[in-house]
Amino acid sequence: MLTVGRVARQHGLSRSALLYYDRIGLLRPIGRSEGNYRLYAPADLERLGRIVRYREAGLPLAGIRQVLAGQPFNPEVGRVLEERLAGINDEIAALRRQQ
């Protein structure tokens, strides 16, 4: 079991990001230590790894929640990723026009 600080460092996130993920229900710790520190299990670290990868792909937290809701397979994954790809294509087209 790892504390919030150690988990944040391992994934290159701020402690406040993990606290926010807990607050919105995206990543809940497995429990609390005797000192009332949040504790994360290996399964939580795997879930956080997926969250980080989806954030790097530009998905909003609401989209990530949809994608993770039906793990291991969720038809929403394709839809959410297609929407993001369309957004990226729109951004590229706008940048080309500016160029």
Side-chain angles (χ1 to χ4, degrees), residues 3-4 10 12 21 42 53 64 79 91 94:
T3 61
V4 67
Q10 279 186 354
Y21 292 170
R53 283 191 299 279
I64 293 171
R79 186 189 62 76
E91 291 173 31

Side-chain angles (χ1 to χ4, degrees), residues 46-91:
E46 290 175 23
R47 181 177 176 92
L48 181 57
R50 289 192 302 268
I51 292 168
V52 168
R53 283 191 299 279
Y54 288 135
R55 288 294 291 152
E56 288 171 350
L59 292 180
L61 293 177
I64 293 171
R65 182 185 334 265
Q66 290 176 340
V67 168
L68 295 178
Q71 291 293 354
F73 177 75
N74 182 348
E76 286 293 303
V77 173
R79 186 189 62 76
V80 170
L81 293 175
E82 284 178 10
E83 286 178 4
R84 178 59 188 147
L85 182 58
I88 290 171
N89 286 332
D90 291 344
E91 291 173 31

